[in-house]
Amino acid sequence: MISLDPRFEEDFKKIRDSGFEPGRVVSQTVTYEVATESGDYTAQPAGKLLFSGMLPAVGDWVALQVYEGGAIIHDIVPRKTVIMRKSVGKSSADQVIAANLDYAVVVMGLDSNFNLRRLERYTTIIAASGAKGIIVLSKADLADPEEIKLKVDHTIACAPGLPVIVWSDADKRGLEELMAILRGPATFCLLGSSGAGKSTLINAIAGKPIARTGAVRTSDEKGKHTTTVRTLISLGNGIDLIDNPGMREIGLTSEEGLSDAFPEITQAAAECKFQDCTHENEPGCAVELAVQEGRITAERFASYMRLLHESRTIESMKSERGRQKKKQNEKTLAKMIRARLKDKGRS
Ligand SMILES: Nc1nc2c(ncn2[C@@H]2O[C@H](COP(=O)(O)OP(=O)(O)O)[C@@H](O)[C@H]2O)c(=O)[nH]1
Ligand SMILES: [Mg+2]
Ligand SMILES: [Zn+2]
């Protein structure tokens, strides 16, 4: 059971008018779990959705048809936000992490987990998603005040404009600050590497142990993956959490988000002599000048260029795949037409 987000009321009305029930996808395995006001159902997507390739994701609001023994998802409400990453491995395909998120909370430890370059990856995919980013620096009890201050300053510089909250489960500092931002109705997710303290934070937000926390195994240095399926959990007060399985790789799906995640570079680039300046030894490059003058740090510039090259490689892989697919479809079609003509010739 779920209470419906009043911000989608118009969409829900349309769904009811067409004889369906509004619901939200709360988990996805082979089938979908959809929660509605009347109960939870295991559902299959309608053929129409399968053919269009537009499949529901956790967090989607959907039009559900409930019948005895099952349910069918007929339609997906247009997503307000969608957070994506490149699917793991060599494939260039996009993978939807979650839909209709208001906030994406990056959890990063103030211990050895602290990594600004990884943070920039997160803020880029968050900027591309349309959700608002929040940075939580966890395990503050493991660092001394001076170290915390330094790391907070670096974090602010690498996540311009985003709130940065220092949090410790030991004394619960920072929790109130975070809860003041996560006001319902709101859906949020936590991003961060295994062992960063996501599950511990979830339990603190929920006020009860709903997520399993795992000590970092020392034998193989990997955090235990305690979350295996992406699920939406209602924490009360209209706050919904989408819990992700741990993510080792966070590849960009496009160039989108980079300009927002690196505003100082975007700003400087507007002053480059050439509009299509690559910022690599070009005459009149305002970005390189800003780096030389220390207005943009060398680390931020290098990070930006790395992510830019990575996203462009992915984009060209995707368009190449699209071209190949189109060619394949045209070939299949031509074959079909030839076969038809042959049949006609026979009859
Ligand atoms: N000292 C300290 N340890 C923490 C804190 N938060 C989490 N941990 C520990 O870090 C480990 C990983 O935490 P967990 O929440 O499971 O991380 P997850 O993999 O991101 O979900 C566990 O052993 C937690 O007890 C904290 O604020 N302070
Ligand atoms: Mg966890
Ligand atoms: Zn330039």
Side-chain angles (χ1 to χ4, degrees):
M1 288 238 284
I2 199 165
S3 47
L4 299 176
D5 189 330
R7 295 171 298 173
F8 289 86
E9 193 42 53
E10 261 177 53
D11 299 293
F12 300 151
K13 189 178 174 301
K14 272 188 224 149
I15 289 171
R16 289 193 197 94
D17 287 350
S18 27
F20 299 126
E21 197 178 342
R24 194 170 198 189
V25 176
V26 294
S27 84
Q28 178 192 354
T29 48
V30 187
T31 55
Y32 292 89
E33 275 315 299
V34 178
T36 73
E37 280 182 313
S38 69
D40 297 356
Y41 303 93
T42 300
Q44 306 274 0
K48 181 185 105 181
L49 294 179
L50 289 172
F51 286 123
S52 72
M54 173 69 188
L55 288 174
V58 175
D60 267 327
W61 292 99
V62 296
L64 198 71
Q65 180 189 17
V66 181
Y67 58 94
E68 215 174 305
I72 290 174
I73 299 169
H74 278 270
D75 242 318
I76 303 169
V77 171
R79 294 167 177 159
K80 289 239 166 88
T81 67
V82 57
I83 189 158
M84 296 199 292
R85 68 159 172 174
K86 183 181 102 59
S87 62
V88 177
K90 286 209 183 89
S91 155
S92 59
D94 295 350
Q95 183 187 11
V96 173
I97 297 175
N100 298 315
L101 285 169
D102 298 288
Y103 299 101
V105 181
V106 181
V107 182
M108 183 163 78
L110 284 157
D111 55 2
S112 60
N113 182 244
F114 191 83
N115 183 321
L116 295 169
R117 304 290 85 85
R118 192 177 58 230
L119 174 69
E120 286 164 339
R121 244 169 216 289
Y122 283 125
T123 58
T124 303
I125 63 165
I126 293 168
S129 76
K132 295 190 184 98
I134 302 171
I135 317 300
V136 169
L137 299 178
S138 62
K139 310 191 188 185
D141 53 297
L142 299 182
D144 60 49
E146 253 162 69
E147 188 188 350
I148 292 175
K149 195 188 169 304
L150 197 70
K151 284 182 169 164
V152 166
D153 288 346
H154 284 148
T155 303
I156 291 170
C158 292
L162 302 188
V164 176
I165 297 170
V166 174
W167 144 253
S168 164
D169 190 51
D171 55 18
K172 306 287 186 262
R173 84 185 90 162
L175 189 59
E176 243 175 73
E177 203 183 328
L178 177 63
M179 296 313 286
I181 304 175
L182 295 180
R183 282 267 180 74
T187 301
F188 74 102
C189 77
L190 300 184
L191 300 174
S193 43
S194 212
K198 298 182 296 298
S199 297
T200 306
L201 180 60
I202 290 171
N203 292 341
I205 293 171
K208 51 180 188 255
I210 59 166
R212 270 175 56 202
T213 59
V216 177
R217 272 178 285 166
T218 43
S219 56
D220 55 5
E221 292 288 313
K222 283 177 199 147
K224 256 189 265 175
H225 281 264
T226 41
T227 314
T228 51
V229 182
R230 201 162 292 141
T231 39
L232 185 142
I233 307 160
S234 290
L235 301 181
N237 296 327
I239 305 174
D240 295 317
L241 158 76
I242 293 179
D243 197 10
N244 288 293
M247 287 186 282
R248 288 243 164 93
E249 287 177 42
I250 345 129
L252 305 188
T253 60
S254 75
E255 215 180 297
E256 223 194 317
L258 267 176
S259 58
D260 287 331
F262 293 84
E264 76 275 39
I265 294 177
T266 313
Q267 236 170 11
E271 305 295 321
C272 290
K273 187 174 170 196
F274 300 111
Q275 233 194 333
D276 60 350
C277 182
T278 60
H279 320 310
E280 287 170 308
N281 293 316
E282 295 227 30
C285 176
V287 173
E288 281 190 301
L289 183 68
V291 174
Q292 274 159 29
E293 290 178 350
R295 283 176 284 122
I296 294 171
T297 67
E299 289 84 2
R300 286 278 287 168
F301 179 59
S303 182
Y304 172 83
M305 294 304 278
R306 192 161 47 239
L307 292 172
L308 185 66
H309 285 304
E310 178 184 314
S311 65
R312 289 201 171 148
T313 307
I314 290 297
E315 280 183 5
S316 68
M317 270 166 74
K318 274 197 284 200
S319 61
E320 175 55 27
R321 210 174 44 142
R323 258 197 300 278
Q324 279 173 3
K325 216 171 178 180
K326 196 165 160 243
K327 226 165 137 187
Q328 192 67 47
N329 286 347
E330 278 164 3
K331 261 191 190 161
T332 313
L333 193 67
K335 222 173 170 179
M336 260 167 63
I337 292 170
R338 270 202 305 276
R340 284 275 167 81
L341 288 175
K342 218 170 155 188
D343 274 358
K344 252 198 179 154
R346 256 193 226 120
S347 64

